[in-house]
Amino acid sequence: MFERITSLYHQNNCNCKDCNNTIIEAIDIDNWVKVMERIAKDTYEGKLKKGQLDAVHIKLTYEELLNGASKGNKDWLKINKNTGMPDTTALRMQKNLFWFSGAKDYVMLKELNDNLVKDGKIQSWNAFKRKALAINKKYNVNYLRQDYQTAKQSALQAQNWQEYVRNSEKYKNLKYRTQGDSKVREQHAKLNNIIKPVNDAFWDTNFPPNGYGPCRCYTVQTNDTATLDQNLPTITEKDTPKEFRNNVGKTGQTFKESTGFGGKPHPFIAIAKEEAKEKEVNRLFFKLEQAKAIKKLTVKQVKHEKLDNKIQFNTKSIKHAYNQPHVNYALKNQSIFYIDTLLPKSEYIGFSTFKNDSYIIGSHIFKIDIDNVESYIIVRENKQGEMIFYAITDNVKVTLGAKK
């Protein structure tokens, strides 16, 4: 698998034209050296044990990728004025970037630990530190610069895809285009000018970006005649790596997580998933999201047109909401951060009275949609007339007995 990682990113110090043309944007290399020196020291002293994740490294990687996505599309997490929250594809992309960051951290630390012992003996600190800094250059410079560019291109292309779908009644087809210059790789040139309907399966595996480099290919909408299937070139793994057989606008995956469409997950994700790290990374993601939500919401009050009093938020209720089950658990939790804009757009269902509670008199129920799943916001009212956000659920039973 490590060989596959190398071949996917190109070898260290690769002198190919693609790598030489990659600009390191917004990456503080000196800071990454400091981060890696701390990780190396913690590993050497046994504070960071084999198999553990480094939450700080994950968060920093994630922030770099978020920055890349924002450079590609500054509005990629823009709140939809009709729903009160970002598009669910963007939220999936956000979670995907964190999952990838956690998986990458795990693989990097795995390689670091493999270099701790040589010939059955623990290496000297100076020798281990040299190895660590070499690993830092590989993962946090060479790989990161390409990951950053991929996040940037993917955010742009995901936005484009949403536009194509919205405009597909007027322009039914898409045309694949390269930049048409000397930097275009031969593998992508063979896709140039292919035309297929927006809803054609061709775009499930060939929508850009189609590789590291970065891939600068794009698509344009057209009503020109579609390319016949018999005239399509044969697309090999050399042309489009299986890790890029994906349509980010559909899946929300900047870095592929599955074997869908004849592809395979990015090797970092494949390794981390195989070694059961996904749940641990998810816990870190929701811990981070929860902290952001608490910081944002506990200083706010929200008005709904059907209630006289404003709705408040506290740390306890936000933590409770994050722990509640939902068929779309991840999207439900990501929605909580946007509850201040989501709630005012929700449909008021009614009020359910509590009969045997000395403090809470009942719950106000509001209906929302989370990725086509009917869901309900619960706001509890106490005897002082305070309205406190309590939970988001997909359990329709909470609506029973609710009256307007």
Side-chain angles (χ1 to χ4, degrees):
M1 186 65 78
F2 281 98
E3 290 81 4
R4 179 57 187 166
I5 294 170
T6 301
S7 66
L8 187 64
Y9 281 95
H10 298 277
Q11 294 181 356
N12 293 340
N13 303 314
C14 178
N15 289 316
C16 74
K17 63 180 181 181
D18 292 328
C19 289
N20 282 338
N21 287 323
T22 300
I23 300 172
I24 303 179
E25 296 183 73
I27 295 174
D28 186 347
I29 297 175
D30 290 338
N31 183 59
W32 281 107
V33 170
K34 293 176 184 176
V35 170
M36 196 63 179
E37 286 178 342
R38 191 267 304 163
I39 288 174
K41 186 176 181 182
D42 286 350
T43 302
Y44 196 79
E45 294 177 353
K47 297 176 184 177
L48 184 60
K49 295 179 172 53
K50 188 173 183 178
Q52 290 184 329
L53 301 174
D54 188 272
V56 173
H57 178 256
I58 294 172
K59 184 172 180 287
L60 289 172
T61 304
Y62 175 59
E63 288 172 348
E64 293 279 15
L65 299 181
L66 287 178
N67 185 41
S70 296
K71 290 288 186 180
N73 173 15
K74 64 182 177 62
D75 294 326
W76 76 292
L77 284 172
K78 184 179 180 179
I79 294 173
N80 185 305
K81 63 182 181 180
N82 296 317
T83 65
M85 63 184 288
D87 181 81
T88 53
T89 300
L91 293 178
R92 286 196 175 94
M93 288 176 66
Q94 183 186 34
K95 183 173 180 293
N96 172 262
L97 293 181
F98 194 93
W99 173 209
F100 174 82
S101 300
K104 182 179 181 180
D105 173 76
Y106 177 72
V107 175
M108 184 192 77
L109 294 179
K110 188 180 179 71
E111 183 169 345
L112 183 64
N113 272 283
D114 288 346
N115 282 276
L116 184 59
V117 176
K118 183 177 182 181
D119 300 327
K121 296 181 179 179
I122 295 178
Q123 295 215 59
S124 69
W125 163 244
N126 287 333
F128 181 65
K129 182 180 176 181
R130 284 194 296 272
K131 289 284 187 181
L133 292 178
I135 290 171
N136 176 67
K137 183 179 180 181
K138 179 163 61 172
Y139 284 86
N140 299 323
V141 180
N142 295 349
Y143 292 173
L144 181 59
R145 67 183 181 181
Q146 301 211 51
D147 298 333
Y148 179 98
Q149 292 290 343
T150 300
K152 179 180 177 180
Q153 289 297 103
S154 294
L156 173 63
Q157 297 300 345
Q159 179 192 39
N160 289 343
W161 180 258
Q162 304 305 323
E163 287 293 322
Y164 299 154
V165 171
R166 280 193 288 269
N167 297 330
S168 59
E169 294 261 338
K170 185 176 181 181
Y171 299 102
K172 298 185 182 300
N173 297 333
L174 285 184
K175 178 187 286 189
Y176 193 103
R177 296 302 306 271
T178 69
Q179 293 292 336
D181 57 25
S182 61
K183 298 176 183 178
V184 174
R185 65 196 86 178
E186 180 182 343
Q187 301 96 311
H188 292 186
K190 69 196 303 187
L191 298 171
N192 194 39
N193 291 322
I194 289 177
I195 300 172
K196 280 293 182 183
V198 174
N199 61 1
D200 193 273
F202 176 82
W203 302 114
D204 291 339
T205 55
N206 295 288
F207 191 71
N210 284 317
Y212 282 125
C215 171
R216 301 174 300 136
C217 299
Y218 62 101
T219 50
V220 294
Q221 287 196 280
T222 180
N223 282 322
D224 291 350
T225 304
T227 306
L228 297 175
D229 287 348
Q230 57 264 38
N231 293 332
L232 291 176
T234 300
I235 309 299
T236 68
E237 186 171 358
K238 182 180 179 182
D239 300 324
T240 303
K242 288 187 175 182
E243 292 86 352
F244 281 89
R245 293 185 183 178
N246 177 48
N247 182 330
V248 65
K250 285 186 172 185
T251 66
Q253 295 177 16
T254 297
F255 301 98
K256 194 168 174 66
E257 299 178 15
S258 71
T259 57
F261 304 115
K264 59 185 178 182
H266 189 286
F268 291 156
I269 291 176
I271 292 171
K273 185 177 288 188
E274 184 178 321
E275 301 191 19
K277 287 295 171 180
E278 187 169 10
K279 286 185 178 180
E280 187 176 351
V281 173
N282 281 340
R283 283 195 296 271
L284 290 174
F285 177 63
F286 293 128
K287 183 179 179 181
L288 176 65
E289 289 296 295
Q290 185 183 102
K292 287 165 53 183
I294 289 170
K295 183 178 180 180
K296 173 190 176 185
L297 297 173
T298 52
V299 296
K300 288 196 171 190
Q301 294 185 349
V302 174
K303 185 75 174 72
H304 192 280
E305 62 180 359
K306 296 296 184 180
L307 300 183
D308 293 330
N309 295 338
K310 290 184 177 180
I311 299 162
Q312 304 174 39
F313 307 90
N314 60 49
T315 299
K316 182 179 179 181
S317 67
I318 293 170
K319 287 183 176 181
H320 175 270
Y322 268 89
N323 289 326
Q324 295 308 297
H326 192 284
V327 66
N328 286 336
Y329 183 76
L331 287 174
K332 180 269 292 182
N333 278 353
Q334 288 173 277
S335 299
I336 293 171
F337 181 79
Y338 301 97
I339 198 72
D340 57 323
T341 50
L342 181 59
L343 232 169
K345 300 290 184 180
S346 64
E347 177 188 348
Y348 185 66
I349 300 298
F351 181 71
S352 295
T353 303
F354 284 16
K355 295 180 179 180
N356 300 310
D357 195 293
S358 61
Y359 184 65
I360 305 296
I361 65 172
S363 293
H364 296 274
I365 310 299
F366 306 82
K367 185 168 73 173
I368 58 172
D369 178 273
I370 297 179
D371 198 31
N372 298 317
V373 175
E374 198 168 277
S375 304
Y376 308 95
I377 299 171
I378 302 171
V379 172
R380 287 189 165 179
E381 181 177 350
N382 63 32
K383 290 187 175 180
Q384 282 73 45
E386 294 174 323
M387 309 286 184
I388 309 295
F389 166 67
Y390 181 71
I392 298 177
T393 181
D394 56 351
N395 189 345
V396 71
K397 290 181 180 180
V398 301
T399 66
L400 298 178
K403 297 178 181 179
K404 292 185 179 179

